[in-house]
Amino acid sequence: MPDGQAIDWQIETAAARIEAVLAARGLISGEQLERVRRLQAAPAQGGKAPAGVPGERADRIAAKLGLVTERDLALAYAAVLGSAVVASDEFPPAPVAADRLRAPFLAQHRLLPLAETDDALTVAMADPFEERTVNALGFAMGKRILRRAAVPADIEAAHARLYGAQGQAAPEMDEHADERGDEDHDADLARLKDLASEAPVIRLVNGLITRAVEMGASDIHIEAADARLRLRYRIDGALREMEPPPARLKSAVVSRVKIMAKLNIAERRLAQDGRIRLTVRGRDVDFRVSTTPSIHGESVVLRILDRGSLALEFDALGFDPGDLARFRAVLAKPHGIVLVTGPTGSGKTTTLYTALKELNLPDRKILTVEDPVEYTLDRVNQVQVQPQIGLTFASALRSFLRQDPDIIMIGEIRDLETAQIAVQAALTGHLVLSTVHTNDAASAMTRLMDMGIEDYLLTSTVTGVVGQRLVRCLCPSCREPYAAPPQLAERMRAAGLDAPDGVALFRPAGCPACAGTGYSGRTMILEVLQMTDALRPMVRRHADARDIQAAAVSEGMQTMFAHGLRKALAGITSVEEVARVIQDA
């Protein structure tokens, strides 16, 4: 058989195996795969198919369409190769075979040599099944090529660290620029702007942003330290230390982010806020950027608002059927106040957006006032507060009442004035949705009374309160079963669960799929308190939040703790994770 046919046969076999792995892991559905195959078989017509799609492998087309992430592809490639995805600590501290392999070639084909022996070269590859590239490497090196699958963003970050500007040392930055005299400041600023606009820095910043989106991070923390730059991603609610950019590029990296966010790079003494909108791997992603000065330089946080990954469905958020029925009953009321409570980062805004999506019918006018507007919703009039020009929650709400709305959403009730206008709106026939910061649903009543809202107004307007937390989900690939100890089973029974002694629970173990954490993704645990005739007298006599909660439980409310234990029994999360977020163990 001619060599060309042999290569085609290998590619076809690899492609089929990759498709099988993606389908087996639930990363691509049969309907999506059929759509990909139609594009693969038919030539582009009228520019409707993405560039380069016809005739390409199905997994590559799926990635271009945004159906799978490049991290998913790397895991599938590694499974076909029978190895693990290259971890960040496996990339070498210095370039391998730098005298025989040029950096531009490696960057173009997204390769990075990992190790070399007398007869073989191990290479991290974004696509280990690109046979022409493997053949070219083997010819150039005169050795066998051992392929390893790696996430493209990880390769790009390691390449930037090892090779800098096309294999040359990355430009040096003066770490003491801020200590120079005023007459040198303009020259330093111009040099910094030029450096931040150079290709190596642009690739470096784009790479760390892309890697964060691929890993499902919610925030990117770029923090100035004494002699280095610290890079951390918040994934599933926990910060993870990542390989940082070179220390010499500390100022350039921060300046590049500020340029992207249209901030003033000359202002390093005051905090600044901005926004970035990018298309990352075919998905539109917004970033909220915040800079703050520190003793070692500016620190930057990018909040990732990935609209493509936002699932505005109650089932996807983690609602149980019983809790969902109670919440929908509250939302079905024509007027009143519906509150969502919990600490920062507990998913309150996502719950409100999901509720608005369900309420968003053509015959209803919906107005929102938010700080900030995180996601845009069709047919919803959304207002961003701007205190510097007097556009506060309270002033926006006063104007809303003259706009003839049916439903009003307030990002957060922070003060008495906002709370009073919300109560007034509810009393005049509007449905008001908002959030407050309390530990549980029952505490929302006492918080509003502490603000100064009269008890009789609360009982007349508040129709329901959702208290919620986010817990990490156990990695399905490595979770370990174990028998619950008798005291834990007893506590579950006290919470109203069917938990005999020795009932099976699960705990995290750690594997390459979850980066060794034992957890992957998050889900919600919640409680839904409905204002009933039994609770109203308790609120009017200023009963303690614990007493209100006990009365609500007696009427059928499931507490957050009980909801969390149910998810632990189902193997979705661990008891330790529930205890961590509830702090009730």
Side-chain angles (χ1 to χ4, degrees), residues 50-63:
V53 160
E56 238 188 318
R57 283 202 330 250
D59 52 287
R60 289 181 177 178
I61 299 174

Side-chain angles (χ1 to χ4, degrees), residues 68 295 300 306 325 375 494 583:
V68 294
I295 60 173
V300 181
D306 187 354
Y375 300 98
Q583 294 188 351

Side-chain angles (χ1 to χ4, degrees), residues 319-383:
F319 274 77
D320 279 355
D323 287 329
L324 182 54
R326 293 166 68 90
F327 188 43
R328 280 183 166 143
V330 170
L331 293 177
K333 296 182 182 298
H335 54 80
I337 299 176
V338 180
L339 298 172
V340 181
T341 75
T344 300
S346 60
K348 300 186 299 296
T349 302
T350 303
T351 299
L352 287 182
Y353 278 142
T354 306
L356 286 180
K357 179 185 176 184
E358 186 155 305
L359 296 169
N360 189 10
L361 300 177
D363 61 347
R364 292 171 174 167
K365 179 163 185 175
I366 302 177
L367 298 172
T368 77
V369 54
E370 308 169 58
D371 184 21
V373 175
E374 295 194 1
Y375 300 98
T376 57
L377 300 173
D378 187 39
R379 286 201 308 265
V380 176
N381 299 278
Q382 297 171 267
V383 175

Side-chain angles (χ1 to χ4, degrees), residues 396-429:
L397 285 173
R398 279 193 292 270
S399 69
F400 280 6
L401 296 180
R402 297 188 291 272
Q403 290 283 314
D404 188 31
D406 298 293
I407 299 168
I408 297 172
M409 193 268 271
I410 308 168
E412 182 184 349
I413 295 179
R414 298 176 178 174
D415 51 46
L416 176 59
E417 185 179 14
T418 304
Q420 287 175 328
I421 299 174
V423 168
Q424 178 186 349
L427 288 172
T428 53

Side-chain angles (χ1 to χ4, degrees), residues 215-488:
M215 295 179 70
S218 61
D219 302 88
I220 303 172
H221 293 252
I222 304 171
E223 300 163 326
D226 186 11
R228 64 189 182 96
L229 198 62
R230 181 184 295 113
L231 175 64
R232 296 192 287 177
Y233 295 163
R234 188 176 295 279
I235 301 173
D236 296 338
L239 284 172
R240 292 190 200 172
E241 191 96 17
M242 309 301 294
E243 183 177 358
R248 59 181 173 268
L249 295 179
K250 180 170 69 172
S251 298
V253 168
V254 172
S255 296
R256 176 61 192 166
V257 175
K258 292 172 72 174
I259 289 172
M260 294 171 71
K262 297 179 174 59
L263 301 179
N264 182 4
I265 68 169
E267 181 54 76
R268 306 172 191 170
R269 300 164 300 172
L270 298 175
Q272 298 185 69
D273 295 294
R275 293 184 79 103
I276 302 172
R277 174 167 291 183
L278 297 173
T279 299
V280 181
R281 308 299 187 199
R283 291 147 55 190
D284 291 332
V285 183
D286 289 333
F287 301 84
R288 272 175 28 212
V289 181
S290 173
T291 70
T292 188
S294 69
I295 60 173
H296 296 303
E298 288 182 286
S299 291
V300 181
V301 175
L302 292 86
R303 177 77 185 276
I304 301 174
L305 306 173
D306 187 354
R307 290 176 288 171
S309 65
L310 185 66
L312 297 182
E313 301 292 341
F314 287 120
D315 291 339
L317 295 183
F319 274 77
D320 279 355
D323 287 329
L324 182 54
R326 293 166 68 90
F327 188 43
R328 280 183 166 143
V330 170
L331 293 177
K333 296 182 182 298
H335 54 80
I337 299 176
V338 180
L339 298 172
V340 181
T341 75
T344 300
S346 60
K348 300 186 299 296
T349 302
T350 303
T351 299
L352 287 182
Y353 278 142
T354 306
L356 286 180
K357 179 185 176 184
E358 186 155 305
L359 296 169
N360 189 10
L361 300 177
D363 61 347
R364 292 171 174 167
K365 179 163 185 175
I366 302 177
L367 298 172
T368 77
V369 54
E370 308 169 58
D371 184 21
V373 175
E374 295 194 1
Y375 300 98
T376 57
L377 300 173
D378 187 39
R379 286 201 308 265
V380 176
N381 299 278
Q382 297 171 267
V383 175
Q384 163 78 52
V385 300
Q386 300 182 60
Q388 65 271 21
I389 62 171
L391 182 58
T392 62
F393 279 111
S395 62
L397 285 173
R398 279 193 292 270
S399 69
F400 280 6
L401 296 180
R402 297 188 291 272
Q403 290 283 314
D404 188 31
D406 298 293
I407 299 168
I408 297 172
M409 193 268 271
I410 308 168
E412 182 184 349
I413 295 179
R414 298 176 178 174
D415 51 46
L416 176 59
E417 185 179 14
T418 304
Q420 287 175 328
I421 299 174
V423 168
Q424 178 186 349
L427 288 172
T428 53
H430 302 88
L431 179 62
V432 180
L433 282 68
S434 188
T435 71
V436 291
H437 284 284
T438 61
N439 290 330
D440 52 39
S443 299
M445 306 299 177
T446 56
R447 175 62 54 86
L448 291 174
M449 286 189 287
D450 289 342
M451 285 185 183
I453 299 297
E454 290 83 354
D455 49 34
Y456 68 90
L457 290 176
L458 280 182
T459 57
S460 302
T461 55
V462 175
T463 57
V465 185
V466 177
Q468 67 181 59
R469 298 286 192 281
L470 291 176
V471 295
R472 292 179 293 173
C473 297
L474 287 167
C475 174
S477 301
C478 65
R479 63 181 186 177
E480 295 178 345
Y482 71 99
Q487 60 271 28
L488 181 55

